[in-house]
């Protein structure tokens, strides 16, 4: 292929316009150039000053932006108090994780107690649809607490060892909210009142849960009220004592499970209890595995054997007949 020859333009050449063609444009006057440049600059400035999409949406939606004299999100949630409640005692970076993990767990347990206490009252009043909603929420909270262990498990043994001396004797073993949950679920233990003896206000709350009927006690009283053969020994007893399984109670539940259409709401109640204990078992299991992963078989800061204590707690059954009846079906 032959390349086209390139002839540079002659600066002195003034071509003659062809017929019908426009005259060549005269060089622009300096004033006109300046005016055009000013116009372009103004347009660019106008474009630059236009609000970004996000800002425009906020204004279009008339979002409240001025909180002078008004209650804000932070005010309502008292975030100043919550977010200043983390006061690490060690210089170690990882202590913040340890504190936040346990503080958020306590907040979830506060909600759990709120729902569990109300659910027990609903069962006592034979208002089962209301109780089912609350028990389902308690199970969901337990699932949330199970997943929380995944975050704490990112703490390695050397990281925990760096903060452990600063914990002194403080331990989750001493959580009064958790103790109230255990008591409300039926795992009564008089020895667990003692860690709260130094705080009469807290001790009174834990004792109230200790002396009251548990969730399972209320369920058995409802079965008896509905005409099922729950023995007197399990509806009129010392609520401070740990629950003991009964063949008669298992037979009462078997009647419900063998005739679910006749006892549909009681049948559903049994499954709500199953869901709840299932979630509780998962929480206990993740607790023991996380502790073993982080500290091995060292003794816990609260004085227990740590992993050995937590493994024993895995064998505690809260609603025994709900599980044993399944073998008979």
């Amino acid at each position: 292929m032959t390349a086209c020859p390139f002839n540079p333009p002659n600066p002195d050449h003034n071509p003659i316009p062809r017929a019908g063609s426009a005259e060549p444009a005269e060089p622009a006057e300096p004033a006109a150039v300046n005016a055009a440049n000013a116009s372009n600059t103004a347009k660019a400035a106008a474009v630059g000053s236009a609000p970004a999409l996000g800002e425009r949406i906020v204004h279009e939606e008339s979002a409240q932006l001025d909180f002078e004299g008004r209650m804000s999100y932070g005010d309502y949630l008292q975030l100043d108090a919550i977010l200043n409640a983390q006061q690490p005692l060690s210089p170690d970076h990882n202590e913040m994780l340890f504190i936040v993990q346990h503080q958020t767990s306590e907040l979830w347990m506060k909600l759990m107690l709120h729902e569990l206490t109300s659910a027990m009252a609903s069962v006592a009043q034979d208002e089962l649809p209301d109780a089912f909603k609350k028990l389902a929420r308690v199970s969901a909270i337990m699932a949330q607490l199970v997943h929380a262990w995944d975050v704490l498990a990112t703490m390695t043994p050397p990281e925990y060892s760096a903060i452990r001396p600063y914990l002194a004797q403080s331990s989750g073993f001493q959580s009064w909210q958790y103790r109230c949950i255990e008591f409300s679920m039926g795992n009564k233990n008089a020895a667990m009142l003692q860690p709260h003896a130094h705080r009469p206000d807290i001790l009174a709350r834990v004792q109230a849960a200790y002396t009251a009927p548990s969730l399972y006690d209320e369920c058995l009283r409802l079965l008896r009220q509905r005409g099922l053969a729950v023995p007197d020994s399990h509806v009129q007893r010392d609520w401070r004592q740990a629950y003991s399984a009964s063949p008669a109670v298992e037979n009462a539940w078997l009647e419900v499970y063998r005739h679910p259409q006749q006892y549909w709401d009681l049948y559903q109640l049994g499954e709500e209890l199953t869901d709840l204990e299932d979630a509780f078992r998962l929480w206990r299991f993740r607790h023991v595995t996380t502790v073993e992963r982080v500290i091995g078989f060292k003794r816990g800061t609260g004085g227990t054997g740590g992993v050995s204590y937590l493994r024993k707690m895995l064998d505690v059954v809260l609603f025994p007949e709900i599980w044993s009846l399944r073998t008979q079906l």
Side-chain angles (χ1 to χ4, degrees):
M1 179 181 295
T2 305
C4 294
F6 172 69
N7 296 317
N10 184 344
D12 298 327
H13 177 63
N14 186 14
I16 300 173
R18 297 178 183 176
S21 66
E23 292 291 333
E26 292 294 330
E29 293 294 328
V33 171
N34 291 340
N37 289 340
S39 175
N40 291 336
T41 301
K43 289 179 182 178
V47 171
S49 64
L53 177 60
E55 184 179 351
R56 189 166 69 248
I57 291 173
V58 168
H59 289 297
E60 288 172 354
E61 293 297 321
S62 301
Q64 180 67 50
L65 302 176
D66 181 8
F67 290 94
E68 184 68 31
R70 294 181 173 91
M71 181 174 68
S72 70
Y73 172 82
D75 297 331
Y76 174 70
L77 295 178
Q78 298 187 47
L79 290 182
D80 287 345
I82 293 173
L83 298 180
N84 283 291
Q86 298 75 45
Q87 301 294 329
L89 299 179
S90 78
D92 193 84
H93 167 83
N94 298 287
E95 189 179 357
M96 183 63 75
L97 162 61
F98 192 81
I99 292 173
V100 170
Q101 162 80 22
H102 289 83
Q103 286 184 341
T104 54
S105 293
E106 289 291 336
L107 285 173
W108 282 119
M109 284 190 280
K110 180 172 184 175
L111 178 58
M112 186 186 302
L113 273 174
H114 176 71
E115 299 293 342
L116 184 58
T117 302
S118 185
M120 290 165 63
S122 295
V123 172
Q125 297 164 13
D126 199 354
E127 297 174 352
L128 290 187
D130 188 57
F132 295 157
K133 171 66 176 178
K134 294 163 184 172
L135 290 175
R137 185 172 291 165
V138 172
S139 294
I141 294 168
M142 284 302 310
Q144 181 77 20
L145 288 169
V146 168
H147 289 298
W149 292 118
D150 295 338
V151 183
L152 189 61
T154 65
M155 178 176 281
T156 62
E159 291 169 346
Y160 177 72
S161 295
I163 69 171
R164 180 168 180 161
Y166 295 86
L167 303 180
Q169 288 77 45
S170 61
S171 167
F173 181 78
Q174 301 144 15
S175 167
W176 71 265
Q177 290 196 121
Y178 178 74
R179 196 56 52 201
C180 287
I181 292 169
E182 284 267 6
F183 288 170
S184 296
M185 298 274 277
N187 187 23
K188 304 291 183 76
N189 182 343
M192 296 312 302
L193 295 170
Q194 187 60 35
H196 312 291
H198 68 294
R199 286 285 304 273
D201 55 333
I202 290 177
L203 178 60
R205 301 181 72 167
V206 180
Q207 281 181 322
Y210 176 65
T211 58
S214 70
L215 170 63
Y216 197 52
D217 291 326
E218 294 292 7
C219 292
L220 296 186
R221 294 208 289 187
L222 179 59
L223 263 62
R224 171 72 172 265
Q225 181 181 324
R226 294 284 195 90
L228 291 157
V230 178
D232 291 343
S233 60
H234 283 64
V235 294
Q236 298 174 1
R237 67 183 190 88
D238 183 351
W239 307 123
R240 298 172 300 177
Q241 300 301 311
Y243 181 82
S244 296
S246 161
V249 170
E250 180 179 306
N251 288 334
W253 278 115
L254 275 170
E255 180 70 12
V256 170
Y257 272 73
R258 284 173 174 154
H259 304 92
Q261 296 304 320
Q262 181 180 350
Y263 301 105
W264 180 255
D265 57 349
L266 296 179
Y267 174 72
Q268 189 174 352
L269 177 61
E271 288 303 285
E272 291 287 353
L273 294 175
T274 307
D275 289 343
L276 182 53
E277 182 158 5
D278 195 2
F280 210 75
R281 288 179 177 186
L282 287 174
W283 183 85
R284 283 175 168 168
F285 179 75
R286 287 293 287 124
H287 188 184
V288 68
T289 55
T290 302
V291 170
E292 183 173 355
R293 173 174 180 155
V294 175
I295 71 169
F297 288 86
K298 297 185 183 76
R299 296 192 68 82
T301 51
T304 70
V307 170
S308 63
Y309 169 78
L310 295 172
R311 283 185 175 176
K312 291 173 184 175
M313 296 305 295
L314 293 176
D315 294 330
V316 174
V317 181
L318 300 171
F319 317 131
E321 295 88 356
I322 289 293
W323 296 95
S324 62
L325 71 84
R326 295 160 199 274
T327 306
Q328 308 302 323
L329 291 174

